[in-house]
Every structure is written in structure tokens, then in C-alpha cells.
Amino acid sequence: MFFRQIPNMRSAATAVCSVKPGEVLPEESLKRLKKQAEENGLIFNVKENSSWKK
């Protein structure tokens, strides 16, 4: 992951784009993102934006 090359980088934003607004995020997707973040020394937080529009 390239984020580790950035000094003091502790977190990054991402999205589960396969899920439409208003649908529940699959638990497996969240677990996979959490694992990837933590394996690379990043903090994992979940944020919801209900006003997201496509």
C-alpha cells in the first residue's frame, strides 16, 4: 500500500461503491477493509454519508 510511504499517515478514506445509497453495507466488505487498513498500520473508522448521490 502506498499510504505507508507518506510520513505521519494514519488513516485514509474509502468507499464500498458496489452498495447503493440506502442499502446496508455487507459485513464482509467492512471486515475486509478493516483488515487491509490494520495490516498496513492505518486506523479503520466507518463513516456514513446518507446524502451521497450518484
Side-chain angles (χ1 to χ4, degrees):
M1 199 174 227
F2 298 111
F3 292 117
R4 292 191 303 191
Q5 298 174 356
I6 303 171
N8 300 313
M9 177 62 97
R10 292 188 172 82
S11 64
T14 188
V16 181
C17 297
S18 60
V19 179
K20 294 178 183 176
E23 291 183 0
V24 176
L25 293 170
E27 190 173 337
E28 275 306 309
S29 294
L30 294 173
K31 285 181 181 180
R32 185 172 50 254
L33 288 171
K34 182 178 191 306
K35 182 179 181 222
Q36 289 173 341
E38 292 175 348
E39 285 176 346
N40 288 283
L42 298 173
I43 297 168
F44 180 80
N45 290 307
V46 175
K47 306 282 187 215
E48 180 184 1
N49 184 350
S50 59
S51 64
W52 184 269
K53 295 182 178 159
K54 284 191 170 191

